[in-house]
Amino acid sequence: MKRILFIALAASLFNVIFVTDLDCEHCKKKIMENVAFEKGVKDMSVDVASKTVNITFDAAKTDTLKLGNAIRHLGYKAEVVTFGPVESKKK
């Protein structure tokens, strides 16, 4: 039973918000152009005013550690402030 639950969770979409130390539009562009192409990233946005990076990702392909490391690799800090599953849209 645990194995099936893990597989079901791994196929789900999750959302994470990182707080960073970006401070300009160039920083935003650098993050968007690099992190958006990480494996498993489905959607993302970067807000310079709040210094946040919001990423929706497929947990079967990546995780918050890998995404945070991708941001850090670009020279920015990346601290998780919010993390959770994406709620499915009901018809």
Side-chain angles (χ1 to χ4, degrees):
M1 187 69 166
K2 289 180 183 177
R3 189 175 198 181
I4 294 170
L5 178 61
F6 177 76
I7 292 169
L9 285 175
S12 298
L13 292 180
F14 285 82
N15 185 263
V16 62
I17 299 175
F18 293 97
V19 66
T20 68
D21 54 352
L22 67 95
D23 58 4
C24 66
E25 289 297 318
H26 180 264
C27 299
K28 175 181 177 175
K29 183 179 177 184
K30 185 176 178 181
I31 292 172
M32 288 293 294
E33 288 179 349
N34 289 278
V35 180
F37 295 102
E38 289 289 317
K39 186 180 279 189
V41 172
K42 299 298 181 187
D43 189 30
M44 73 175 289
S45 62
V46 178
D47 184 49
V48 176
S50 65
K51 298 186 178 214
T52 57
V53 178
N54 187 334
I55 304 172
T56 301
F57 66 95
D58 182 343
K61 296 182 180 179
T62 194
D63 56 44
T64 58
L65 181 62
K66 291 176 186 173
L67 296 171
N69 285 339
I71 296 169
R72 287 183 204 95
H73 181 75
L74 298 172
Y76 304 100
K77 75 175 189 171
E79 181 181 326
V80 175
V81 290
T82 305
F83 171 72
V86 174
E87 294 183 23
S88 62
K89 296 178 182 177
K90 294 181 182 179
K91 293 182 180 181

